[in-house]
């Protein structure tokens, strides 16, 4: 029965190919919600299962066994297998915690640096311009006490004509309006929980950019103009040395696979809502949830037996 708790640790490996197919074939805003939701659900399942698998090792500590009122050792399966799996789960949880702390601290530092960079700059319509020749533009979330801003460099403004600038600014406004940084944050957290979910972060980022591209195209009423703005902005940014490291949560119009974004904008607006890959993601999350719940119930019965209770009562 311990296999029920191992299954949710294997299922995330099926998500990256499903996410790739979904982001290619489903309307970007729907794909973004679906992929991010699946990543979050599978990450919760991974952490929960690791915590449950850690229990047989943890109850060997006398104080914890006394706290749970265990009258006899917890029987969760073959002793050697249970000890090995529980030890591995403990190590995996430690690695996950360290990755989350390290990644969170690094991202917080990047956000603080970006906000200091624009602090005190005049703004108009939520946009501020940095006097920097390196072309760049991104949507900077303000945080609980700050104000969301569109940050653009003087170099980027010079690289585009007036119509292209408006299309690019529409792209950045879409990031802030749709709170895309929250999707990126959830994807990053999920990625720290499992290596397969880390591979999904790029698909979430692509979906974020595609959703903003479509919003910009609708706002300017010209898909070719939006495609030209994205392409020229990316070419301008790539032709100059990169500046300070941009926060992961600060989505920008020059990120992601730009050729794929331009091709999508030059095609017709996406309308497809459901594809087999999307349905497969739903089934994947359902399987992980059912397996986690069944494994937890099985282990809970083992705890009841160790407490001297009759689980059939």
């Amino acid at each position: 029965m311990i296999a029920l708790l191992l299954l949710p640790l294997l299922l995330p490996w099926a998500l990256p190919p499903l996410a790739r197919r979904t982001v290619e074939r489903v309307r970007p805003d729907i794909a973004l919600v679906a992929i991010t939701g699946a990543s979050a659900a599978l990450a919760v399942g991974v952490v929960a299962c690791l915590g449950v698998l850690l229990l047989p090792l943890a109850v060997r500590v006398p104080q914890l066994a006394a706290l749970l009122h265990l009258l006899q050792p917890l029987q969760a399966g073959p002793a050697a297998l249970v000890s090995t799996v529980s030890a591995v789960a403990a190590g995996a949880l430690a690695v996950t915690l360290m990755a989350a702390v390290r990644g969170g601290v690094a991202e917080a530092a990047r956000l603080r640096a970006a906000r200091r960079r624009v602090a005190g700059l005049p703004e108009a319509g939520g946009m501020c311009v940095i006097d920097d020749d390196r072309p760049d533009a991104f949507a900077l979330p303000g945080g609980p006490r700050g104000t969301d801003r569109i940050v653009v460099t003087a170099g980027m403004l010079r690289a585009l004509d007036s119509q292209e600038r408006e299309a690019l600014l529409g792209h950045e406004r879409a990031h802030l309006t749709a709170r895309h940084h929250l999707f990126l944050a959830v994807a990053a957290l999920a990625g720290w929980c499992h290596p397969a979910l880390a591979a999904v972060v790029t698909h979430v980022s692509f979906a974020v950019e595609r959703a903003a591209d479509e919003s910009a195209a609708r706002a300017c009423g010209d898909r070719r103009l939006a495609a030209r703005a994205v392409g020229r902005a990316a070419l301008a940014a790539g032709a100059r040395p990169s500046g300070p490291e941009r926060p992961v949560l600060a989505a920008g119009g020059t990120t992601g696979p730009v050729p794929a974004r331009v091709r999508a904008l030059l095609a017709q607006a996406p309308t497809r809502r459901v594809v087999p890959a999307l349905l497969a993601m739903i089934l994947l999350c359902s399987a992980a949830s059912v397996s986690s719940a069944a494994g937890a119930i099985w282990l809970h019965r083992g705890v009841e037996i160790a407490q001297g209770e009759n689980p059939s009562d």
Side-chain angles (χ1 to χ4, degrees), residues 55 58-71 303 307:
L55 185 59
V59 295
R60 294 184 181 181
V61 178
Q63 292 82 357
L64 184 57
L67 182 64
L68 295 176
H69 307 292
L70 300 185
L71 303 179
V303 171
Q307 291 173 333

Side-chain angles (χ1 to χ4, degrees), residues 250-287:
T254 61
T255 58
V258 174
R261 292 170 53 197
V262 171
R263 285 196 301 271
L265 282 169
L266 293 177
Q268 292 183 351
T271 58
R272 298 183 68 176
R273 295 174 178 268
V274 179
V275 296
L278 185 57
L279 297 176
M281 281 200 298
I282 296 174
L283 292 176
L284 185 68
C285 294
S286 300

